[in-house]
Amino acid sequence: MAVSLQTLIDRSIRNMGSGIHPVVKETAIEVIKRSYKEGIYVQMTSGYRSFAEQNKLYAKGRTAPGEIVTNARAGQSNHNYGLAVDYVLLSSDGKTTIWTVNTNWKRVAQIAKALGFAWGGDWNSFKDYPHLEMTGGLSLSQLQAGKRPVLVSKVNNKTPAVPKSTKKQSSKKSSSSGGRAIVRTIQSTLNKRYKLNIKVDGYQGPETYKALLKGFQTELNKQFHAGLVVDGEWGPKTRAAVVNVRKGAKGSITWILQALLICKGYDVNGLDSIFGHGLEKAVRAFQKANGLAVDGVAGRVTWTRLFA
Ligand SMILES: [Zn+2]
């Protein structure tokens, strides 16, 4: 059964905290409602953070255990002024978070922007895909100096139309996308193994897929003398050079297949470079979901669908 709109709103209100600016709160709820109407289940994971909470978060991965999750100390985040929220997609039953920056994720950002939010995914330096904020034109130093914005609600603004290509896109996968930690592992392995320099942020966007394809091209060159240009583009030469990968295989190409499927939300039962039963099951599920012949072997058509 699909999660109810009210459940998503209730959870989000709780997560945004009482210190959230009323206009930010109202607008965030409107984002949830409009997304829900389009079959996109979104929830706010955080909103207002006190200075103490921010410092605690800052300590994570530095003086406290865990991974680094923020570069902002107390007072350095718009969350500290109740002007920012973070969102995540949910599976239709509302039980699993989906951290994939896919068409639905971007659609939520588009809806939010039409309602006056700025989106962290548009930032140039560090992309913060879950982040939405409304600062009313005030800078962080003005906020730190005690100024507060006058925000005007835009909940009556219309949502822009869904771009045609995304309209029929539905979430066929029910599983989460492996979580951010495993995606970080994939990104840092790609950097090390193929001498790349992609962001290790746990979000599988176009940059990650391009790096996976570069890795794939590199392996085809190394192992099969394919003579490909390593450009991360799915062209006819790469397509022609593809090899079949099936149960029993092991090595870097198998690893790339596992990483791709993990990024697309499939459970491959471990990123271990060994083509076992779990990976075969995932390949079959992917083939089925994409209307391909279901044989559990990653051949030309399957690789093309994974990369192109
Ligand atoms: Zn944020």
Side-chain angles (χ1 to χ4, degrees):
M1 211 177 74
V3 64
S4 75
L5 174 61
Q6 198 54 51
T7 300
L8 297 179
I9 293 174
D10 290 345
R11 288 182 191 163
S12 299
I13 288 175
R14 199 167 56 229
N15 292 343
M16 286 189 287
S18 56
I20 195 77
H21 190 290
V23 172
V24 175
K25 180 178 171 183
E26 176 189 63
T27 313
I29 292 170
E30 186 67 15
V31 170
I32 298 167
K33 286 183 186 167
R34 291 189 188 194
S35 302
Y36 195 88
K37 263 191 200 154
E38 297 185 12
I40 304 172
Y41 307 99
V42 61
Q43 179 178 305
M44 301 302 146
T45 58
S46 67
Y48 170 73
R49 283 200 288 271
S50 69
F51 280 30
E53 284 164 337
Q54 186 70 36
N55 274 336
K56 211 172 149 195
L57 211 60
Y58 183 81
K60 252 191 111 180
R62 293 187 172 90
T63 52
E67 289 178 59
I68 288 183
V69 289
T70 181
N71 289 320
R73 293 168 190 265
Q76 295 176 336
S77 163
N78 287 323
H79 285 281
N80 302 143
Y81 307 96
L83 302 176
V85 296
D86 298 318
Y87 70 91
V88 68
L89 301 182
L90 292 183
S91 56
S92 58
D93 63 5
K95 288 181 183 159
T96 313
T97 52
I98 301 168
W99 291 100
T100 314
V101 183
N102 55 19
T103 13
N104 282 350
W105 191 291
K106 289 174 191 158
R107 176 62 179 163
V108 174
Q110 191 184 27
I111 291 169
K113 279 152 71 172
L115 291 166
F117 274 119
W119 179 43
D122 289 328
W123 295 348
N124 287 325
S125 50
F126 170 75
K127 291 204 187 296
D128 190 355
Y129 292 103
H131 184 90
L132 299 169
E133 65 177 33
M134 257 183 224
T135 59
L138 292 188
S139 67
L140 197 56
S141 47
Q142 286 174 309
L143 290 167
Q144 285 169 333
K147 283 203 175 166
R148 293 295 174 264
V150 179
L151 299 180
V152 181
S153 172
K154 293 183 177 174
V155 295
N156 293 319
N157 275 18
K158 281 209 175 106
T159 309
V162 184
K164 270 214 174 75
S165 58
T166 68
K167 221 166 200 166
K168 56 179 188 290
Q169 172 104 9
S170 66
S171 175
K172 280 159 271 168
K173 293 156 293 183
S174 59
S175 63
S176 79
S177 287
R180 291 178 59 188
I182 185 89
V183 175
R184 279 203 193 95
T185 304
I186 290 168
Q187 290 166 328
S188 64
T189 304
L190 285 167
N191 281 343
K192 257 181 264 157
R193 199 173 281 172
Y194 301 109
K195 300 191 169 53
L196 301 172
N197 190 25
I198 64 166
K199 241 165 259 137
V200 180
D201 57 7
Y203 298 106
Q204 55 275 51
E207 197 186 39
T208 303
Y209 286 110
K210 197 167 179 169
L212 281 163
L213 182 44
K214 282 184 180 172
F216 188 57
Q217 290 169 326
T218 305
E219 295 299 338
L220 289 174
N221 286 346
K222 214 160 71 183
Q223 300 180 35
F224 301 97
H225 310 287
L228 301 172
V229 179
V230 179
D231 57 3
E233 301 292 332
W234 188 260
K237 280 190 183 156
T238 303
R239 188 183 151 88
V242 156
V243 289
N244 289 341
V245 186
R246 52 165 56 84
K247 203 167 169 183
K250 49 175 99 114
S252 304
I253 291 183
T254 301
W255 181 89
I256 289 169
L257 180 61
Q258 289 175 327
L260 270 170
L261 286 163
I262 288 170
C263 287
K264 289 174 186 285
Y266 291 84
D267 177 12
V268 301
N269 193 24
L271 182 60
D272 57 2
S273 311
I274 298 168
F275 201 136
H277 179 66
L279 181 55
E280 191 183 52
K281 230 173 106 181
V283 171
R284 283 177 182 275
F286 176 80
Q287 289 170 327
K288 191 166 174 225
N290 285 275
L292 310 178
V294 179
D295 60 3
V297 179
R300 187 159 294 139
V301 178
T302 300
W303 282 111
T304 301
R305 189 56 69 94
L306 281 163
F307 274 125

